[in-house]
Amino acid sequence: PPSSGEPGSPSPASVPSTPTPVNVSPVKSRFPSSPSPHLPKDQQTTPPIKPSILPPASTTSTAFLAYRAGAGKELDELHKQAKARLKEHKNKVKAITDDINFQKSTIDHLMSVLRTQPQPTSPRSNDDPTKKLKEAKKRYRGRVDELSELRVEGVFLKGQKERAMQELVRAYDRWEKGLGG
């Protein structure tokens, strides 16, 4: 029987419901430079930076750059050299870390081979996973020791770079005050 009370009117359960369109505004990103993943690709653009947003170049930073190019050139060069040594050191650390990770994956692979293969084919064979595992572990331990030493050296190099910058800034302050640098 119809529930609306009128004869012949369909019940609400038998009326097909069509969803009403919902007006949804796109989600705004907290980071204006990154496109929103919720927008279609044709609407994903990075807004240009307005000149009014950029801070004006301060006279202090301009004067410091002038000092670095002129009277403080030697100290600036020392800072650049310390910075370059630190960067080179970081590249060494990265290369060793990559090698350590490679050795670790080799060790893991050889361990899984040894678990699935009950007996090596021949103890003197070059394909012996046990022999390869020992070599990989030895190389791994050597590289970890090398990395430990490099980390200590890295602390020293970072301190050297910071001291060079501090000396450059102190000399600039003296120069700016007219005491000579």
Side-chain angles (χ1 to χ4, degrees), residues 8-9 14 28 36 55 60 66 78 106 117-118 155:
S9 66
S14 66
K28 291 186 179 181
S36 171
T60 304
L78 290 174
T106 302
Q117 180 183 348
V155 170

Side-chain angles (χ1 to χ4, degrees), residues 2-179:
S3 61
S4 65
E6 293 183 24
S9 66
S11 68
S14 66
V15 174
S17 67
T18 54
T20 56
V22 178
N23 187 6
V24 178
S25 61
V27 177
K28 291 186 179 181
S29 174
R30 292 186 324 175
F31 308 103
S33 63
S34 63
S36 171
H38 304 290
L39 292 176
K41 287 207 182 251
D42 61 334
Q43 293 179 5
Q44 291 183 3
T45 58
T46 303
I49 297 176
K50 297 179 183 177
S52 62
I53 295 175
L54 297 174
S58 71
T59 57
T60 304
S61 65
T62 306
F64 184 65
L65 291 175
Y67 173 76
R68 287 172 67 174
K73 192 169 187 156
E74 286 180 30
L75 290 174
D76 187 50
E77 190 59 35
L78 290 174
H79 176 255
K80 285 179 182 176
Q81 289 172 359
K83 195 172 171 180
R85 283 191 302 270
L86 182 61
K87 184 175 182 176
E88 182 181 323
H89 177 269
K90 285 182 178 184
N91 289 337
K92 278 185 197 176
V93 168
K94 183 177 179 348
I96 290 175
T97 302
D98 290 345
D99 189 43
I100 288 171
N101 290 335
F102 175 75
Q103 293 302 322
K104 176 66 173 126
S105 65
T106 302
I107 290 169
D108 291 343
H109 171 72
L110 291 170
M111 291 295 290
S112 69
V113 167
L114 285 173
R115 276 189 223 108
T116 58
Q117 180 183 348
Q119 292 291 332
T121 54
S122 168
R124 295 180 184 220
S125 168
N126 286 339
D127 267 354
D128 182 21
T130 307
K131 184 177 179 181
K132 287 182 179 180
L133 179 63
K134 286 181 182 180
E135 290 171 4
K137 283 184 175 184
K138 183 178 179 181
R139 181 165 169 88
Y140 176 84
R141 282 192 290 276
R143 297 300 267 179
V144 167
D145 291 343
E146 196 175 340
L147 182 62
S148 297
E149 292 171 10
L150 277 178
R151 286 194 173 142
V152 171
E153 184 182 347
V155 170
F156 172 75
L157 290 173
K158 186 176 180 183
Q160 237 183 3
K161 180 190 142 230
E162 289 171 358
R163 283 188 297 279
M165 185 61 176
Q166 289 170 356
E167 182 56 34
L168 180 63
V169 170
R170 279 194 298 270
Y172 166 73
D173 288 341
R174 288 190 305 267
W175 176 79
E176 191 177 41
K177 291 177 184 174
L179 301 175

